[in-house]
Amino acid sequence: MEYHVVVEKMCACAKRNNMPQIKTFDDQENAMRVARAWAQQLNETFCGKHEFDVVAVDDNFVIAMSEGSY
């Protein structure tokens, strides 16, 4: 089974950095670990206009974006 990490909305920083919107994994635990690390990286390296958090949706993980700084 495949598990996906999906960036919900691609902000300008993500587009400028040619960031992928979806990453696919064979292991759910690995997908969750990557999703959390990815969200943290976005929070620490992007402009700070948005905050990123991981939300589990079925067997996948969505990196949700909200207004406000990290």
Side-chain angles (χ1 to χ4, degrees):
M1 180 174 209
E2 290 185 334
Y3 303 93
H4 305 285
V5 176
V6 180
V7 178
E8 179 181 40
K9 296 179 185 173
M10 297 290 284
C11 65
C13 290
K15 291 176 184 175
R16 263 194 309 277
N17 288 296
N18 293 319
M19 187 179 80
Q21 189 165 10
I22 299 173
K23 292 184 181 183
T24 303
F25 300 88
D26 292 329
D27 177 79
Q28 188 177 24
E29 188 174 319
N30 191 35
M32 179 180 63
R33 191 173 25 257
V34 169
R36 288 184 177 153
W38 195 6
Q40 178 145 1
Q41 178 189 10
L42 299 178
N43 283 323
E44 292 174 357
T45 61
F46 279 10
C47 68
K49 290 182 181 178
H50 305 105
E51 181 179 350
F52 299 90
D53 196 16
V54 178
V55 178
V57 177
D58 298 324
D59 290 327
N60 302 298
F61 301 95
V62 175
I63 298 178
M65 180 176 68
S66 61
E67 294 297 320
S69 61
Y70 173 69

